[in-house]
Amino acid sequence: MTTAYVIVTVVGAFMAAFSAASIFFRAKWVVRPLADYGVPRTWWTPLGVAKAAGALGLIAGLWVPVLGVAAGIGLVLYFTGAVITVLRAHWPSHVAFPLMYLAPVAASLVLGFAA
């Protein structure tokens, strides 16, 4: 396990956890776009739970690698879905936001397999 892997994984986990908390606390800068994209309000809490579980899984993966891989794959799929949702809602200027969260998770997976 390299230092770069640990740092990138912790950053990815922190970002996913922050994103989950933003949904749980209904931060306007998060829930307003979700409504604009057409994401049903009933999905918001489950989406936050998915991100929180992914964040915990990334951290647990530092000790149990299979958990980190599963969490990383889940978060990559989640944020890829977010990119698709933003594009389908015709908000291409907002694509950078889910990509920003996707990047460290994807990098964590790459670094984990490269080690």
Side-chain angles (χ1 to χ4, degrees):
M1 182 178 328
T2 66
T3 303
Y5 167 72
V6 172
I7 291 169
V8 169
T9 298
V10 169
V11 167
F14 174 80
M15 290 176 70
F18 174 78
S19 184
S22 296
I23 288 180
F24 293 146
F25 293 112
R26 302 294 193 251
K28 288 183 185 191
W29 71 86
V30 173
V31 296
R32 191 172 299 151
L34 286 176
D36 291 343
Y37 305 152
V39 178
R41 191 177 184 96
T42 57
W43 292 13
W44 295 359
T45 297
L47 291 173
V49 169
K51 289 190 271 191
L56 290 172
L58 285 179
I59 295 301
L62 295 173
W63 292 276
V64 183
V66 69
L67 291 177
V69 170
I73 290 169
L75 285 170
V76 165
L77 291 172
Y78 178 95
F79 290 119
T80 299
V83 168
I84 292 167
T85 298
V86 170
L87 291 174
R88 289 188 60 167
H90 305 288
W91 287 76
S93 62
H94 291 194
V95 169
F97 299 109
L99 288 175
M100 177 180 66
Y101 289 95
L102 173 66
V105 176
S108 173
L109 282 172
V110 169
L111 290 170
F113 285 120

